[in-house]
């Protein structure tokens, strides 16, 4: 992205959430965008994830100029190119781990046998093969986050975007998730983590600091 700006109306004035943000992310990168509450990191995440529009500048995702994409095209990018991992897991409580993981594939129209095969491979990668029939309430926080990671991975996205992925976990379990991220990155996955925690950031390859809408690497 190059010279990206984003503002929100605040009464008669505007809040400048992002100010001339320029950032290059290469395939296989593992970076953390680090900043306190109100720094602009959530807005930047929403732009990177094609969940919000920019007011100025350019953002190229692979060969697509995002600011020129239609809503339908943006939806396709989110569904096919980006895997989202959230602090609160966002699992469907009445579904088993397997059902949560396989759902994105079935929604794409993939046949059930092929979807099960891909889901099995992904579950094995995150170390949850013995918990596939358990529902979220029967899993620990770390196990739920592993299900969420597997759900994000199963569609083979170009980018994994993780928003405070260890924020709801104790330090030991959080470290397990960060170790898993390192393994995924070693396997070639491009990962962007959004965090306020310097200890989380220090385990990535690059740290991008954001403060008052300004970026500093």
């Amino acid at each position: 992205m190059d010279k990206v700006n984003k503002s929100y109306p605040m009464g008669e004035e505007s809040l400048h959430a992002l100010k001339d943000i320029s950032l290059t992310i290469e395939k296989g990168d593992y970076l953390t965008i680090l900043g306190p509450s109100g720094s602009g990191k959530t807005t930047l995440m929403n732009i990177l994830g094609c969940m919000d529009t920019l007011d100025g500048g350019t953002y190229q995702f692979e060969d697509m100029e995002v600011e020129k994409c239609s809503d339908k095209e943006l939806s396709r990018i989110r569904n096919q190119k980006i895997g989202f991992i959230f602090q609160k897991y966002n699992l469907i409580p009445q579904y088993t781990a397997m059902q949560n993981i396989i759902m994105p594939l079935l929604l794409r129209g993939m046949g059930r046998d092929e979807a099960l095969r891909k889901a099995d491979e992904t579950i094995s990668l995150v170390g949850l093969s013995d918990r596939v029939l358990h529902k979220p309430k029967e899993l620990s926080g770390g196990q739920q986050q592993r299900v969420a990671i597997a759900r994000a991975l199963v569609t083979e996205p170009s980018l994994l975007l993780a928003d405070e992925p260890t924020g709801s976990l104790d330090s030991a379990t959080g470290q397990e998730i960060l170790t898993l991220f390192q393994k995924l990155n070693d396997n070639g996955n491009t990962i962007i983590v959004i965090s306020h925690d310097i200890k989380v950031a220090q385990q990535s390859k690059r740290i991008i600091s954001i403060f008052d809408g300004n970026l500093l690497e």
Side-chain angles (χ1 to χ4, degrees):
M1 58 173 54
D2 186 48
K3 295 188 180 303
V4 167
N5 286 273
K6 181 66 180 180
S7 298
Y8 297 100
M10 298 284 288
E12 296 181 357
E13 300 181 356
S14 293
L15 171 65
H16 296 282
L18 299 179
K19 305 169 185 175
D20 289 333
I21 298 292
S22 295
L23 177 63
T24 299
I25 300 163
E26 303 289 349
K27 181 176 175 58
D29 237 340
Y30 176 14
L31 66 94
T32 299
I33 297 171
L34 181 70
S37 297
S39 61
K41 66 181 187 296
T42 298
T43 300
L44 181 55
M45 179 195 73
N46 289 339
I47 297 289
L48 289 168
C50 299
M51 295 184 288
D52 202 353
T53 57
L54 46 150
D55 295 335
T58 61
Y59 174 30
Q60 183 166 327
F61 187 99
E62 296 184 340
D63 59 346
M64 294 160 284
E65 295 181 51
V66 170
E67 68 276 6
K68 297 180 181 179
C69 290
S70 66
D71 288 345
K72 184 176 181 179
E73 289 170 328
L74 291 174
S75 178
R76 184 183 66 83
I77 293 171
R78 291 192 300 269
N79 291 336
Q80 298 184 10
K81 299 288 186 178
I82 304 175
F84 295 95
I85 302 164
F86 300 100
Q87 178 179 350
K88 298 297 184 182
Y89 322 132
N90 289 9
L91 302 176
I92 299 175
Q94 62 268 35
Y95 283 9
T96 64
M98 173 61 84
Q99 289 170 327
N100 270 282
I101 293 165
I102 202 174
M103 182 177 60
L105 299 176
L106 298 179
L107 290 174
R108 283 189 182 185
M110 183 179 289
R112 188 167 185 83
D113 288 346
E114 184 181 0
L116 282 169
R117 179 184 59 78
K118 288 184 68 66
D120 276 335
E121 292 174 356
T122 309
I123 288 167
S124 178
L125 183 64
V126 302
L128 270 183
S129 297
D130 60 339
R131 310 294 284 178
V132 293
L133 299 181
H134 291 69
K135 294 182 179 180
K137 67 180 180 180
E138 300 168 327
L139 301 173
S140 68
Q143 289 169 338
Q144 290 184 63
Q145 190 61 292
R146 285 174 183 268
V147 174
I149 292 169
R151 182 183 58 189
L153 280 172
V154 76
T155 58
E156 300 180 343
S158 304
L159 171 66
L160 284 176
L161 190 56
D163 182 18
E164 301 283 3
T166 63
S168 297
L169 306 174
D170 62 72
S171 59
T173 307
Q175 182 56 53
E176 290 178 4
I177 297 302
L178 295 175
T179 300
L180 176 57
F181 280 173
Q182 291 170 353
K183 176 183 175 182
L184 295 173
N185 182 244
D186 289 343
N187 288 342
N189 290 98
T190 305
I191 303 173
I192 300 176
V193 173
I194 310 297
S195 182
H196 68 277
D197 189 340
I198 185 63
K199 292 180 181 178
V200 170
Q202 287 171 337
Q203 299 196 44
S204 58
K205 291 179 178 177
R206 295 168 60 195
I207 300 175
I208 308 291
S209 296
I210 187 167
F211 188 76
D212 284 345
N214 295 293
L215 212 59
L216 177 65
E217 183 162 2

